[in-house]
Amino acid sequence: WKYENYLRSSESPYAAAMSLAEFVANTPKTRLSIEHIYPQNPKQVHVVEDQSILPPATKEFQEGWLHSLGSLTLDPLKANMEKTNNEFEVKNSRFFCRAPYKTQNELDLFMGSTSRWDETAIAKRRDKILDFALQYWKYQDV
């Protein structure tokens, strides 16, 4: 939530902050959940048209990157359920790029010229979120 509001206030196009009431809302349409950017159960996914955009769902990838901070994002529960285990290409083009959340809109920035949602993209996003958290909560002052 704090990272979402940071993006809304610091990166164009700017947007109004998400209020605490919005963040904790518990209506079926607005209740937030955690979305895995890469599908948790890729074996259940339909055939991905462009295999080059995803790394193979190896055991190493699943253990090291699937649940990484860089591969998670806020999402309304209803929207999360609609995405199910769709491949990243579908999630990104149909949902993330059009989402009202800047934490989802920014995903393309981390893929760079490779256009892949892989360990490198996840690590870049994780590092950006961690840098934000360390600055926001001023860990050095503690």
Side-chain angles (χ1 to χ4, degrees):
W1 171 58
K2 294 290 186 180
Y3 180 64
E4 172 68 26
N5 280 338
Y6 162 74
L7 293 176
R8 289 178 178 205
S9 67
S10 65
E11 297 186 7
S12 181
Y14 304 109
M18 178 191 294
S19 70
L20 180 59
E22 286 178 272
F23 179 64
V24 299
N26 202 17
T27 66
K29 187 176 179 181
T30 59
R31 181 176 172 202
L32 292 176
S33 67
I34 301 296
E35 165 69 14
H36 284 78
I37 296 166
Y38 188 97
Q40 289 188 80
N41 299 303
K43 293 176 187 163
Q44 298 173 6
V45 175
H46 302 292
V47 176
V48 176
E49 291 177 22
D50 183 0
Q51 290 288 334
S52 68
I53 62 170
L54 290 175
T58 63
K59 183 177 180 181
E60 178 183 86
F61 178 85
Q62 290 181 337
E63 289 176 0
W65 298 99
L66 182 63
H67 305 293
S68 167
L69 178 62
S71 195
L72 303 173
T73 189
L74 288 176
D75 204 25
L77 184 59
K78 185 176 179 183
N80 192 340
M81 291 168 49
E82 289 176 17
K83 291 177 189 83
T84 62
N85 283 308
N86 280 316
E87 62 268 13
F88 174 77
E89 181 180 47
V90 170
K91 286 182 174 185
N92 195 39
S93 65
R94 288 182 49 202
F95 298 102
F96 296 149
C97 289
R98 301 173 185 186
Y101 299 103
K102 294 191 72 110
T103 55
Q104 294 179 6
N105 301 154
E106 73 171 353
L107 300 180
D108 283 343
L109 301 174
F110 299 102
M111 294 189 298
S113 62
T114 65
S115 296
R116 287 177 50 96
W117 189 255
D118 58 10
E119 295 93 333
T120 302
I122 294 168
K124 286 178 186 177
R125 185 165 183 268
R126 176 203 60 208
D127 292 348
K128 182 179 178 187
I129 294 169
L130 288 174
D131 286 345
F132 158 75
L134 294 173
Q135 289 177 18
Y136 182 84
W137 282 285
K138 299 179 174 128
Y139 80 99
Q140 294 174 334
D141 295 345
V142 176

